[in-house]
Amino acid sequence: AERLSCRADVVVILGVSGRFALLVEVVSDDRDDCLDFLDKQIHSQPDIGDVDTMTGLKNYKNQFLLKQNWS
């Protein structure tokens, strides 16, 4: 999480329960940028044991709530 958190293309990092320890959301400009990120930052790194990659196909809702705006 610490290594990936400084990257601008990584927009969310969550510690999660279940099969994996982290959920990392990456926003790429195109397919080549996504593949480059996966090759250099994920698949070739010794600190990552297993990966399940999902590609977003359609955005139905994207709403981020900031704590300062909560009632």
Side-chain angles (χ1 to χ4, degrees):
E2 187 176 329
R3 178 173 59 78
L4 295 173
S5 67
C6 64
R7 297 187 50 91
D9 50 358
V10 174
V11 296
V12 174
I13 301 176
L14 297 173
V16 295
S17 61
R19 181 175 171 204
F20 297 103
L22 293 177
L23 182 145
V24 178
E25 184 173 343
V26 178
V27 176
S28 299
D29 290 330
D30 57 36
R31 182 177 178 270
D32 290 336
D33 284 347
C34 182
L35 291 173
D36 187 60
F37 175 85
L38 289 171
D39 287 341
K40 293 179 181 171
Q41 302 300 322
I42 304 298
H43 297 297
S44 65
Q45 298 300 315
D47 60 345
I48 296 180
D50 197 10
V51 175
D52 189 359
T53 303
M54 294 177 275
T55 302
L57 301 176
K58 183 173 181 178
N59 185 0
Y60 292 97
K61 182 175 181 177
N62 186 355
Q63 178 179 348
F64 290 95
L65 299 176
L66 301 176
K67 188 174 181 179
Q68 65 191 20
N69 295 332
W70 291 357
S71 299

